[in-house]
Amino acid sequence: MSGHYLIIGAGFAGAVCAERLAACGNRVLIADKRPHIAGNAYDEYDSNGILIHPYGPHIFHTNSKRIFEYLSQFTHWRFYEHRVLARVNGAELPIPINRTTINKLYDLDLSEADAKAYIENVRVKLDRVATSEDVVLSSVGHDLCEKFFRGYTLKQWGLDLSQLSAGVAARIPTRSNDDDRYFGDTMQFMPADGYTSMFKKMLANPNIEVRLDTDGLELKRKGDFSHVIYTGPLDAYFDYRLGRLPYRSLRFEHEHLPTTERLQKVGTVNYPNDEQFTRITEFKHLTGQSHPGTSIVREYPQADGDPFYPIPRPENEAKFQEYKAMADTEQGVTFVGRLAQYRYYNMDQVVGAALVVADELTGEK
Ligand code: FAD
Ligand code: UDP
């Protein structure tokens, strides 16, 4: 029997659920507080005609064929492998740390086997890896930890590496070869016409009504829906009854350089030690757009503002579990997405989680 669903949030989690439910004949009302769809993946042309990501750089990467094929129904892709340099000791060096990083930083000429031995020698052998500090020390040792990770992490999270769960720093691999790609996934692409265009196609089914600038929780209180899917911050849903679940925010400083065709050698340059911002991204690298000027964004981490990141550390996980226990008893509501599940998910992981929810609700699996 078809139902009438309310979906709160039109990011990846909400849009995937909406698309799947509508395809099975359900009516879907999807609401977002913001004036646009696509959540944090939203992209738009700035006033100079350059496609930018207002909420920071988004690069799609996945190892999941199912997720890639699912999204491929709504977009063509542009092959793009993201590369990042970190400004350390006045030089721009590859991050993730690889053979080139070590050779350039220390003025060495190590072969791949030498680089492997070098890393093995400097890394700290630990019996137990619990924090992000443990991860970095056991991967690259003290000096590289201080130069590439300690300062960046302090800026990004307002916390020391030792105060964050292992998963945060474990996102960044260590390599003894010359592979300088930021991600190691088998599939790395950008949606050819951008994310917003892809979302428009996902939400094109006439069974879906999109309402922007709308608080979905207000609609929930007023409306009569057979089921609700909530993708916003978990603590907000419960009116912060158990106190704040910490999320990290960012301030984005966008800039257009009208006479610079290309500013950076690669898409992103990280600033682990100097500057207040963590990184500068130049969008034309990601999108492949041709333009006589260029548009960039600097990311300044901050405590207050839109919730962008869950903060993975044991006390926050404990608070999340308290909220989750409440969520589990909430009748007729499913919680999914990076904010609602309080997981440091990439886009593909959110798509995967949403597909699981949709399968359960439609009885597909
Ligand atoms: P969101 O995109 O946050 O969507 C949730 C939506 O819910 C929001 O639009 C919000 O307005 C809305 N909402 C909340 N409460 C309400 C309410 N009460 N009523 C109505 N609407 C509400 N992932 C990658 O894979 N690759 C990357 O390169 C990458 N880069 C990133 C860079 C930055 C700076 C950030 C912050 C994230 C990045 N991510 C990246 C992660 C990616 O943004 C997320 O995984 C994904 O967008 C999460 O989708 P979501 O639907 O769970 O949440
Ligand atoms: N990190 C770091 N130095 C870097 C890049 C990353 O210390 O040059 C650490 C930092 O703690 C960061 C985490 O690794 O928050 C994850 O980095 P990623 O680039 O995946 O963060 P995101 O793109 O999600 O902001």
Side-chain angles (χ1 to χ4, degrees):
M1 207 185 71
S2 66
H4 188 197
Y5 286 82
L6 170 65
I7 301 183
I8 303 176
F12 268 102
V16 170
C17 289
E19 190 284 326
R20 286 291 76 216
L21 290 164
C24 292
N26 297 288
R27 276 196 303 141
V28 176
L29 173 58
I30 181 166
D32 206 295
K33 273 184 181 168
R34 290 170 171 171
H36 57 74
I37 57 171
N40 289 334
Y42 173 68
D43 54 14
E44 65 179 9
Y45 286 88
D46 66 12
S47 58
N48 306 287
I50 295 186
L51 185 62
I52 63 159
H53 301 175
Y55 304 101
H58 280 70
I59 299 109
F60 185 78
H61 53 100
T62 192
N63 288 315
S64 164
K65 214 166 158 242
R66 182 191 181 204
I67 291 166
F68 185 68
E69 282 174 357
Y70 170 73
L71 291 177
S72 300
Q73 300 174 83
F74 314 106
T75 187
H76 297 294
W77 299 98
R78 165 179 193 262
F79 177 71
Y80 172 71
E81 292 180 319
H82 194 49
R83 288 181 166 77
V84 179
L85 295 170
R87 175 98 32 113
V88 171
N89 286 2
E92 289 186 352
L93 307 170
I95 176 89
I97 288 167
N98 68 6
R99 188 177 78 108
T100 317
T101 315
I102 295 169
N103 278 339
K104 283 198 177 163
L105 180 67
Y106 300 119
D107 199 16
L108 297 170
D109 188 21
L110 305 178
S111 66
E112 193 174 324
D114 292 342
K116 196 169 177 190
Y118 182 95
I119 293 165
E120 185 55 29
N121 187 42
V122 294
R123 74 180 198 90
V124 181
K125 283 89 188 166
L126 298 174
D127 295 332
R128 186 168 165 270
V129 173
T131 69
S132 275
E133 180 176 54
D134 299 341
V135 168
V136 177
L137 290 178
S138 66
S139 311
V140 296
H142 288 283
D143 195 50
L144 292 167
C145 176
E146 298 311 314
K147 289 190 163 77
F148 288 83
F149 290 91
R150 182 90 58 198
Y152 188 105
T153 300
L154 198 56
K155 261 195 274 188
Q156 171 68 13
W157 302 97
L159 295 168
D160 186 67
L161 276 168
S162 59
Q163 298 172 292
L164 287 158
S165 300
V168 176
R171 292 166 62 87
I172 314 299
T174 306
R175 303 182 182 127
S176 50
N177 59 18
D178 292 329
D179 185 355
D180 61 348
R181 297 169 311 155
Y182 201 62
F183 306 111
D185 303 55
T186 50
M187 289 162 269
Q188 308 190 27
F189 295 95
M190 294 292 290
D193 299 322
Y195 290 97
T196 306
S197 163
M198 178 173 79
F199 273 75
K200 277 188 188 152
K201 294 201 176 81
M202 292 171 79
L203 298 174
N205 189 315
N207 289 338
I208 301 175
E209 181 191 342
V210 180
R211 242 183 256 174
L212 301 176
D213 296 305
T214 301
D215 183 350
L217 291 173
E218 280 288 313
L219 291 180
K220 178 176 180 286
R221 274 189 281 277
K222 289 189 211 140
D224 184 18
F225 301 94
S226 50
H227 197 87
V228 175
I229 296 174
Y230 179 77
T231 75
L234 190 56
D235 57 350
Y237 180 92
F238 291 106
D239 221 3
Y240 312 101
R241 216 174 300 161
L242 306 175
R244 289 273 171 176
L245 193 50
Y247 293 91
R248 190 72 172 159
S249 191
L250 295 170
R251 177 170 67 82
F252 300 101
E253 189 181 275
H254 288 270
E255 190 182 350
H256 179 69
L257 307 167
T259 56
T260 306
E261 194 168 354
R262 178 152 284 201
L263 179 72
Q264 301 185 157
K265 286 198 214 69
V266 293
T268 298
V269 177
N270 285 356
Y271 291 80
N273 304 311
D274 310 317
E275 314 293 355
Q276 300 275 301
F277 48 85
T278 50
R279 55 188 179 189
I280 299 181
T281 297
E282 183 175 14
F283 292 106
K284 282 166 63 185
H285 286 271
L286 281 56
T287 58
Q289 192 179 349
S290 304
H291 194 287
T294 198
S295 292
I296 60 172
V297 65
R298 294 179 179 82
E299 294 174 50
Y300 294 86
Q302 58 185 26
D304 299 323
D306 270 6
F308 288 124
Y309 294 82
I311 306 177
R313 56 190 308 219
E315 50 265 65
N316 297 352
E317 179 62 19
K319 169 83 54 195
F320 165 69
Q321 289 299 340
E322 287 178 45
Y323 272 116
K324 184 171 181 302
M326 288 169 66
D328 287 345
T329 61
E330 195 76 357
Q331 292 295 311
V333 185
T334 303
F335 297 83
V336 62
R338 172 152 148 149
L339 302 172
Q341 293 180 279
Y342 205 67
R343 286 288 168 266
Y344 193 170
Y345 277 156
N346 295 320
M347 293 181 280
D348 65 322
Q349 294 169 302
V350 173
V351 172
L355 287 174
V356 169
V357 163
D359 281 347
E360 281 165 9
L361 292 172
T362 58
E364 292 251 319
K365 287 234 170 91

CSV table of all heavy atoms in Angstrom, one decimal, residues 171-209:
chain,number,residue,atom,x,y,z
A,171,ARG,N,41.3,8.6,8.1
A,171,ARG,CA,40.8,8.9,6.7
A,171,ARG,C,42.0,9.2,5.8
A,171,ARG,O,41.8,9.1,4.6
A,171,ARG,CB,39.9,10.2,6.8
A,171,ARG,CG,38.6,10.0,7.5
A,171,ARG,CD,37.9,11.3,7.8
A,171,ARG,NE,37.6,12.1,6.6
A,171,ARG,CZ,36.4,12.0,5.9
A,171,ARG,NH1,35.5,11.1,6.3
A,171,ARG,NH2,36.2,12.7,4.9
A,172,ILE,N,43.1,9.5,6.3
A,172,ILE,CA,44.3,9.9,5.5
A,172,ILE,C,45.3,8.8,5.5
A,172,ILE,O,45.9,8.5,6.6
A,172,ILE,CB,44.9,11.2,6.1
A,172,ILE,CG1,43.9,12.3,6.4
A,172,ILE,CG2,46.0,11.7,5.1
A,172,ILE,CD1,43.0,12.8,5.3
A,173,PRO,N,45.5,8.1,4.4
A,173,PRO,CA,46.5,7.0,4.3
A,173,PRO,C,47.9,7.5,4.3
A,173,PRO,O,48.2,8.7,4.3
A,173,PRO,CB,46.1,6.3,3.0
A,173,PRO,CG,45.6,7.4,2.1
A,173,PRO,CD,44.9,8.4,3.0
A,174,THR,N,48.8,6.6,4.4
A,174,THR,CA,50.3,6.9,4.3
A,174,THR,C,50.8,6.0,3.1
A,174,THR,O,50.5,4.8,3.1
A,174,THR,CB,51.1,6.6,5.5
A,174,THR,OG1,50.4,7.2,6.6
A,174,THR,CG2,52.5,7.0,5.4
A,175,ARG,N,51.6,6.6,2.3
A,175,ARG,CA,52.1,5.8,1.1
A,175,ARG,C,53.6,5.9,0.9
A,175,ARG,O,54.2,7.0,1.2
A,175,ARG,CB,51.4,6.3,-0.2
A,175,ARG,CG,49.9,6.2,-0.1
A,175,ARG,CD,49.3,6.7,-1.4
A,175,ARG,NE,47.8,6.7,-1.3
A,175,ARG,CZ,47.0,7.7,-1.6
A,175,ARG,NH1,47.6,8.8,-2.1
A,175,ARG,NH2,45.7,7.6,-1.6
A,176,SER,N,54.2,4.8,0.5
A,176,SER,CA,55.6,4.9,0.2
A,176,SER,C,55.9,5.0,-1.3
A,176,SER,O,57.1,5.1,-1.7
A,176,SER,CB,56.3,3.6,0.8
A,176,SER,OG,55.7,2.5,0.4
A,177,ASN,N,54.9,5.0,-2.1
A,177,ASN,CA,55.0,5.2,-3.5
A,177,ASN,C,54.7,6.6,-3.9
A,177,ASN,O,54.7,7.5,-3.0
A,177,ASN,CB,54.1,4.2,-4.3
A,177,ASN,CG,52.7,4.4,-4.0
A,177,ASN,OD1,52.3,5.4,-3.4
A,177,ASN,ND2,51.9,3.4,-4.3
A,178,ASP,N,54.6,6.9,-5.2
A,178,ASP,CA,54.3,8.3,-5.6
A,178,ASP,C,52.9,8.6,-5.9
A,178,ASP,O,52.6,9.7,-6.4
A,178,ASP,CB,55.1,8.6,-6.9
A,178,ASP,CG,56.6,8.5,-6.7
A,178,ASP,OD1,57.0,8.9,-5.5
A,178,ASP,OD2,57.4,8.1,-7.6
A,179,ASP,N,52.0,7.7,-5.5
A,179,ASP,CA,50.6,8.0,-5.6
A,179,ASP,C,50.2,9.2,-4.8
A,179,ASP,O,50.4,9.3,-3.6
A,179,ASP,CB,49.8,6.8,-5.1
A,179,ASP,CG,48.3,6.9,-5.4
A,179,ASP,OD1,47.8,8.0,-5.8
A,179,ASP,OD2,47.5,5.9,-5.1
A,180,ASP,N,49.8,10.3,-5.5
A,180,ASP,CA,49.5,11.5,-4.8
A,180,ASP,C,48.0,11.9,-4.9
A,180,ASP,O,47.6,13.0,-4.7
A,180,ASP,CB,50.3,12.7,-5.4
A,180,ASP,CG,50.0,13.0,-6.8
A,180,ASP,OD1,49.4,12.1,-7.5
A,180,ASP,OD2,50.5,14.0,-7.3
A,181,ARG,N,47.2,10.9,-5.1
A,181,ARG,CA,45.7,11.1,-5.1
A,181,ARG,C,45.2,11.2,-3.7
A,181,ARG,O,45.7,10.5,-2.8
A,181,ARG,CB,45.0,10.0,-5.9
A,181,ARG,CG,45.3,9.9,-7.3
A,181,ARG,CD,44.8,8.6,-7.9
A,181,ARG,NE,45.1,7.5,-7.1
A,181,ARG,CZ,44.4,6.3,-7.1
A,181,ARG,NH1,43.4,6.2,-7.9
A,181,ARG,NH2,44.8,5.3,-6.3
A,182,TYR,N,44.3,12.1,-3.4
A,182,TYR,CA,43.8,12.3,-2.0
A,182,TYR,C,43.0,11.1,-1.6
A,182,TYR,O,43.1,10.6,-0.4
A,182,TYR,CB,43.0,13.5,-1.9
A,182,TYR,CG,42.9,14.0,-0.5
A,182,TYR,CD1,44.0,14.4,0.2
A,182,TYR,CD2,41.7,14.1,0.2
A,182,TYR,CE1,44.0,14.9,1.5
A,182,TYR,CE2,41.6,14.6,1.5
A,182,TYR,CZ,42.8,14.9,2.2
A,182,TYR,OH,42.7,15.4,3.5
A,183,PHE,N,42.2,10.5,-2.5
A,183,PHE,CA,41.4,9.3,-2.2
A,183,PHE,C,41.9,8.1,-2.9
A,183,PHE,O,42.4,8.2,-4.0
A,183,PHE,CB,39.9,9.6,-2.6
A,183,PHE,CG,39.4,10.9,-2.0
A,183,PHE,CD1,39.1,11.9,-2.9
A,183,PHE,CD2,39.1,11.0,-0.7
A,183,PHE,CE1,38.6,13.1,-2.4
A,183,PHE,CE2,38.6,12.2,-0.2
A,183,PHE,CZ,38.3,13.3,-1.0
A,184,GLY,N,41.7,6.9,-2.3
A,184,GLY,CA,42.2,5.7,-2.9
A,184,GLY,C,41.1,4.9,-3.5
A,184,GLY,O,41.3,3.8,-4.1
A,185,ASP,N,39.9,5.5,-3.6
A,185,ASP,CA,38.7,4.7,-4.0
A,185,ASP,C,38.8,4.3,-5.5
A,185,ASP,O,39.4,5.0,-6.3
A,185,ASP,CB,37.4,5.5,-3.9
A,185,ASP,CG,37.2,5.9,-2.4
A,185,ASP,OD1,38.1,6.5,-1.9
A,185,ASP,OD2,36.1,5.6,-1.9
A,186,THR,N,38.1,3.2,-5.9
A,186,THR,CA,38.2,2.7,-7.2
A,186,THR,C,37.4,3.7,-8.2
A,186,THR,O,37.7,3.7,-9.4
A,186,THR,CB,37.6,1.3,-7.4
A,186,THR,OG1,36.3,1.3,-6.7
A,186,THR,CG2,38.5,0.3,-6.7
A,187,MET,N,36.4,4.4,-7.7
A,187,MET,CA,35.6,5.3,-8.5
A,187,MET,C,35.7,6.7,-8.0
A,187,MET,O,35.4,6.9,-6.8
A,187,MET,CB,34.2,4.8,-8.6
A,187,MET,CG,34.0,3.5,-9.4
A,187,MET,SD,32.5,2.7,-9.0
A,187,MET,CE,33.0,1.6,-7.7
A,188,GLN,N,36.2,7.6,-8.8
A,188,GLN,CA,36.4,9.0,-8.3
A,188,GLN,C,36.0,9.9,-9.5
A,188,GLN,O,36.6,9.9,-10.5
A,188,GLN,CB,37.9,9.3,-8.0
A,188,GLN,CG,38.5,8.3,-7.1
A,188,GLN,CD,39.9,8.7,-6.5
A,188,GLN,OE1,40.2,9.9,-6.5
A,188,GLN,NE2,40.7,7.7,-6.2
A,189,PHE,N,34.9,10.6,-9.3
A,189,PHE,CA,34.2,11.4,-10.4
A,189,PHE,C,33.5,12.6,-9.8
A,189,PHE,O,33.2,12.6,-8.6
A,189,PHE,CB,33.2,10.5,-11.1
A,189,PHE,CG,33.7,9.3,-11.8
A,189,PHE,CD1,33.7,8.1,-11.2
A,189,PHE,CD2,34.2,9.5,-13.1
A,189,PHE,CE1,34.2,7.0,-11.9
A,189,PHE,CE2,34.7,8.3,-13.8
A,189,PHE,CZ,34.7,7.1,-13.2
A,190,MET,N,33.3,13.5,-10.7
A,190,MET,CA,32.4,14.6,-10.3
A,190,MET,C,31.2,14.6,-11.2
A,190,MET,O,31.3,14.2,-12.4
A,190,MET,CB,33.1,16.0,-10.6
A,190,MET,CG,34.3,16.3,-9.7
A,190,MET,SD,33.9,16.5,-8.0
A,190,MET,CE,33.1,18.1,-8.2
A,191,PRO,N,30.0,14.9,-10.7
A,191,PRO,CA,28.8,14.9,-11.6
A,191,PRO,C,29.0,15.9,-12.7
A,191,PRO,O,29.4,17.1,-12.4
A,191,PRO,CB,27.7,15.3,-10.6
A,191,PRO,CG,28.3,15.7,-9.4
A,191,PRO,CD,29.7,15.3,-9.3
A,192,ALA,N,28.8,15.5,-13.9
A,192,ALA,CA,29.3,16.3,-15.1
A,192,ALA,C,28.6,17.7,-15.1
A,192,ALA,O,29.3,18.7,-15.4
A,192,ALA,CB,29.0,15.6,-16.4
A,193,ASP,N,27.4,17.8,-14.7
A,193,ASP,CA,26.7,19.1,-14.7
A,193,ASP,C,26.5,19.6,-13.3
A,193,ASP,O,25.7,20.5,-13.1
A,193,ASP,CB,25.3,19.0,-15.4
A,193,ASP,CG,25.5,18.6,-16.8
A,193,ASP,OD1,26.4,19.0,-17.5
A,193,ASP,OD2,24.6,17.7,-17.3
A,194,GLY,N,27.2,19.0,-12.3
A,194,GLY,CA,27.1,19.5,-11.0
A,194,GLY,C,26.2,18.7,-10.1
A,194,GLY,O,25.4,17.9,-10.6
A,195,TYR,N,26.3,18.9,-8.8
A,195,TYR,CA,25.4,18.2,-7.8
A,195,TYR,C,24.0,18.6,-7.9
A,195,TYR,O,23.1,17.8,-7.8
A,195,TYR,CB,26.0,18.4,-6.4
A,195,TYR,CG,27.3,17.7,-6.2
A,195,TYR,CD1,28.5,18.4,-6.3
A,195,TYR,CD2,27.3,16.3,-5.9
A,195,TYR,CE1,29.7,17.7,-6.1
A,195,TYR,CE2,28.6,15.7,-5.7
A,195,TYR,CZ,29.7,16.4,-5.8
A,195,TYR,OH,30.9,15.7,-5.6
A,196,THR,N,23.7,19.9,-8.0
A,196,THR,CA,22.4,20.4,-7.9
A,196,THR,C,21.6,19.9,-9.1
A,196,THR,O,20.4,19.5,-8.9
A,196,THR,CB,22.3,22.0,-7.9
A,196,THR,OG1,23.2,22.4,-6.9
A,196,THR,CG2,20.9,22.5,-7.8
A,197,SER,N,22.2,19.8,-10.3
A,197,SER,CA,21.5,19.3,-11.4
A,197,SER,C,21.2,17.8,-11.2
A,197,SER,O,20.1,17.3,-11.6
A,197,SER,CB,22.5,19.5,-12.6
A,197,SER,OG,22.1,18.6,-13.7
A,198,MET,N,22.1,17.1,-10.6
A,198,MET,CA,21.8,15.7,-10.3
A,198,MET,C,20.6,15.5,-9.3
A,198,MET,O,19.8,14.7,-9.5
A,198,MET,CB,23.1,15.0,-9.7
A,198,MET,CG,22.9,13.6,-9.3
A,198,MET,SD,24.5,12.8,-8.8
A,198,MET,CE,24.6,13.5,-7.1
A,199,PHE,N,20.6,16.4,-8.3
A,199,PHE,CA,19.5,16.3,-7.3
A,199,PHE,C,18.2,16.7,-8.0
A,199,PHE,O,17.2,16.1,-7.6
A,199,PHE,CB,19.8,17.3,-6.2
A,199,PHE,CG,20.6,16.7,-5.1
A,199,PHE,CD1,22.0,16.5,-5.2
A,199,PHE,CD2,20.0,16.3,-3.9
A,199,PHE,CE1,22.7,15.9,-4.2
A,199,PHE,CE2,20.7,15.8,-2.8
A,199,PHE,CZ,22.1,15.6,-3.0
A,200,LYS,N,18.2,17.6,-8.9
A,200,LYS,CA,17.0,18.0,-9.6
A,200,LYS,C,16.4,16.8,-10.3
A,200,LYS,O,15.2,16.6,-10.2
A,200,LYS,CB,17.2,19.1,-10.6
A,200,LYS,CG,17.3,20.5,-10.0
A,200,LYS,CD,17.3,21.6,-11.1
A,200,LYS,CE,17.6,22.9,-10.5
A,200,LYS,NZ,18.3,23.8,-11.4
A,201,LYS,N,17.2,16.0,-10.9
A,201,LYS,CA,16.7,14.8,-11.6
A,201,LYS,C,16.2,13.8,-10.6
A,201,LYS,O,15.2,13.1,-10.8
A,201,LYS,CB,17.8,14.2,-12.5
A,201,LYS,CG,18.2,15.1,-13.6
A,201,LYS,CD,18.9,14.4,-14.7
A,201,LYS,CE,19.2,15.3,-15.9
A,201,LYS,NZ,20.4,16.1,-15.7
A,202,MET,N,16.9,13.7,-9.5
A,202,MET,CA,16.5,12.7,-8.4
A,202,MET,C,15.1,13.1,-7.9
A,202,MET,O,14.3,12.2,-7.5
A,202,MET,CB,17.4,12.7,-7.2
A,202,MET,CG,18.8,12.1,-7.6
A,202,MET,SD,20.0,12.3,-6.3
A,202,MET,CE,19.5,11.1,-5.2
A,203,LEU,N,14.8,14.4,-7.9
A,203,LEU,CA,13.5,14.8,-7.3
A,203,LEU,C,12.5,15.1,-8.3
A,203,LEU,O,11.5,15.8,-8.0
A,203,LEU,CB,13.8,16.0,-6.4
A,203,LEU,CG,14.8,15.8,-5.2
A,203,LEU,CD1,15.1,17.1,-4.5
A,203,LEU,CD2,14.2,14.7,-4.2
A,204,ALA,N,12.7,14.7,-9.6
A,204,ALA,CA,11.8,15.1,-10.6
A,204,ALA,C,10.5,14.3,-10.7
A,204,ALA,O,9.5,14.7,-11.4
A,204,ALA,CB,12.5,15.0,-12.0
A,205,ASN,N,10.4,13.2,-10.0
A,205,ASN,CA,9.2,12.4,-10.0
A,205,ASN,C,8.0,13.2,-9.6
A,205,ASN,O,8.0,13.9,-8.5
A,205,ASN,CB,9.4,11.2,-9.1
A,205,ASN,CG,8.3,10.2,-9.2
A,205,ASN,OD1,7.1,10.5,-9.2
A,205,ASN,ND2,8.7,8.9,-9.3
A,206,PRO,N,6.9,13.2,-10.3
A,206,PRO,CA,5.7,14.0,-9.9
A,206,PRO,C,5.1,13.6,-8.6
A,206,PRO,O,4.3,14.3,-8.0
A,206,PRO,CB,4.7,13.7,-11.0
A,206,PRO,CG,5.2,12.7,-11.9
A,206,PRO,CD,6.7,12.6,-11.6
A,207,ASN,N,5.5,12.4,-8.1
A,207,ASN,CA,5.0,12.0,-6.7
A,207,ASN,C,5.7,12.8,-5.6
A,207,ASN,O,5.4,12.7,-4.4
A,207,ASN,CB,5.3,10.5,-6.5
A,207,ASN,CG,4.4,9.6,-7.3
A,207,ASN,OD1,3.3,10.1,-7.7
A,207,ASN,ND2,4.8,8.4,-7.5
A,208,ILE,N,6.8,13.6,-6.0
A,208,ILE,CA,7.6,14.3,-5.0
A,208,ILE,C,7.2,15.8,-5.0
A,208,ILE,O,7.3,16.4,-6.1
A,208,ILE,CB,9.1,14.2,-5.3
A,208,ILE,CG1,9.5,12.7,-5.2
A,208,ILE,CG2,9.9,15.0,-4.3
A,208,ILE,CD1,11.0,12.5,-5.6
A,209,GLU,N,6.9,16.3,-3.9
A,209,GLU,CA,6.7,17.8,-3.7
A,209,GLU,C,7.9,18.3,-2.9
A,209,GLU,O,8.1,17.8,-1.8
A,209,GLU,CB,5.4,18.1,-3.1
A,209,GLU,CG,5.2,19.6,-2.9
A,209,GLU,CD,4.0,20.0,-2.0
A,209,GLU,OE1,3.2,19.2,-1.8
A,209,GLU,OE2,4.0,21.2,-1.6
